[in-house]
Amino acid sequence: MTTSTTRATRRRARTGAEPDSETREIEITWAVVASLFQFRIATAEQLRRLHAPDSSIEKMRGRLRGLRDRGMAEELVLPRSGRAKGWFLTEHGARIAAAFPELADIPAPRLPGDREAFKFTLYHQLAVVRTHLVFLADARHRGDSYGPFDFVPEVTHRFAEGKEGTVRPDGLLHYGRTAADGARRVNLAFVEVDRATMGGPRLAAKLNAYARYWATAPLPAGMRAGTIEAVQGGRKPLWERRYPAFPRLLFVLTGTGQAGFANRANDLETAAHTPYVAKMLRSVPAGVAKLEDLEAEGAGADNWWPIADLDDGPVPWWELTGTKS
């Protein structure tokens, strides 16, 4: 779990050499620590599926016990889970992980204060890991380019003052795949995971926040509003500073029956018809899917309903397009 370990990994990637068992074990343990830093909490089974899908769950539990013995990780029993445990980094573990070069741009996880209170804030984050896992399993099956660290949680995008001037998706997804025309493309997506803990209208309001971010185009430094330069197109969208194209929007819903999913999807479609959001969706693909369907059939199955017009679905997420009008 050092810089030299990372360099060795890159060297093997260039030469095609296979790691020995000891090096492989160090790399898996490093990856486990890095994932706990990114996602705050995960179960042993989730970590096994992320980093060692061909090994046993007992092997992963042994790694986690080793981290606990070294004071880097702790576990707690999840409520209403049949004694399943969630693992998280200690302050010592988080401090070590913060030095990993690959995590330089990732904010440090919030550590638990009151452990009992902490238990009841975890299910959303575990659902985010579940969502990442369905994309990862699908990519492995299809041979697409998407690994355990290609889903970056909670990237902050600030476009105005105050809380309402920020969007913070549950994840920013980087997914590389070969399109039908043979071209290799990296698809970017903002992923929002909803466990039906907020009302449908509040969920739909997130679309308006994304539309505000999409439309925000500040004047360049030194340019005054009302000048000829400003009128003639001096403004460029804020998001262009970070992305070659605005990421598509993927809403993943869980914790509802089919009727509940339909109601929440309809709330999103209603918000999509407001003028502000509709303008964004002319060029930004957006879809909604049920997490349980993705887990059963794969993230790339025909399970994504276009938010702008639910009647046009379902389709694979990469076939979502902007609206026609």
Side-chain angles (χ1 to χ4, degrees):
M1 293 185 288
T2 64
T3 301
S4 60
T5 303
T6 303
R7 288 172 180 163
T9 303
R10 291 170 179 163
R11 185 164 55 250
R12 285 195 306 277
R14 292 194 299 270
T15 63
E18 289 293 328
D20 57 53
S21 58
E22 181 179 358
T23 300
R24 177 60 178 154
E25 188 60 30
I26 292 172
E27 290 178 343
I28 293 175
T29 304
W30 171 90
V32 167
V33 172
S35 284
L36 291 178
F37 187 90
Q38 282 201 196
F39 290 103
R40 295 177 56 206
I41 191 162
T43 66
E45 174 60 14
Q46 287 177 328
L47 292 165
R48 184 195 71 81
R49 291 168 61 193
L50 277 171
H51 301 298
D54 296 328
S55 68
S56 69
I57 185 63
E58 284 306 318
K59 187 89 170 176
M60 181 57 69
R61 287 172 178 154
R63 296 183 183 104
L64 290 165
R65 287 192 294 268
L67 290 172
R68 181 188 61 197
D69 294 343
R70 290 151 66 185
M72 294 177 63
E74 293 184 17
E75 83 273 32
L76 52 76
V77 176
L78 301 171
R80 303 184 300 277
S81 64
R83 305 295 296 173
K85 295 179 180 179
W87 289 84
F88 58 94
L89 294 181
T90 63
E91 183 176 352
H92 175 56
R95 188 166 55 251
I96 291 174
F100 295 174
E102 292 81 357
L103 299 175
D105 297 327
I106 306 297
R110 296 185 298 275
L111 301 177
D114 184 324
R115 287 172 63 96
E116 287 303 310
F118 184 57
K119 291 181 182 181
F120 294 93
T121 67
L122 303 178
Y123 286 104
H124 178 79
Q125 206 61 28
L126 290 171
V128 171
V129 181
R130 285 173 60 197
T131 300
H132 173 36
L133 281 169
V134 298
F135 283 99
L136 182 60
D138 207 54
R140 286 169 173 165
H141 174 72
R142 297 174 184 273
D144 290 337
S145 179
Y146 181 82
F149 298 105
D150 287 328
F151 185 102
V152 184
E154 297 184 341
V155 179
T156 299
H157 302 76
R158 193 175 304 281
F159 55 88
E161 295 297 326
K163 184 177 180 180
E164 293 184 354
T166 299
V167 290
R168 186 180 293 109
D170 290 313
L172 172 62
L173 177 149
H174 299 253
Y175 193 104
R177 63 179 302 273
T178 301
D181 59 6
R184 193 75 175 172
R185 296 190 179 94
V186 175
N187 296 279
L188 300 177
F190 292 137
V191 180
E192 290 284 353
V193 180
D194 176 67
R195 297 189 305 112
T197 55
M198 65 174 67
R202 282 186 60 196
L203 172 66
K206 292 188 176 185
L207 275 175
N208 191 62
Y210 281 109
R212 288 185 62 202
Y213 175 46
W214 173 83
T216 298
L219 284 171
M223 185 178 292
R224 291 181 300 161
T227 62
I228 294 176
E229 292 85 354
V231 173
Q232 290 180 344
R235 296 175 183 265
K236 289 188 177 181
L238 184 64
W239 60 262
E240 285 190 359
R241 300 178 186 179
R242 302 179 73 160
Y243 305 109
F246 196 84
R248 65 191 62 214
L249 303 176
L250 301 179
F251 285 78
V252 178
L253 311 187
T254 185
T256 69
Q258 196 57 41
F261 171 78
N263 290 336
R264 299 175 84 75
N266 286 333
D267 288 334
L268 287 168
E269 185 181 39
T270 298
H273 291 165
T274 60
Y276 208 59
V277 176
K279 186 176 181 181
M280 173 186 67
L281 294 182
R282 290 174 193 151
S283 58
V284 178
V288 58
K290 190 177 179 183
L291 179 54
E292 289 77 9
D293 293 341
L294 302 181
E295 289 176 324
E297 302 175 34
D302 293 351
N303 281 317
W304 295 88
W305 301 84
I307 288 172
D309 188 350
L310 296 175
D311 290 338
D312 282 348
V315 297
W317 66 270
W318 56 75
E319 291 185 10
L320 294 165
T321 61
T323 54
K324 303 177 180 65
S325 59

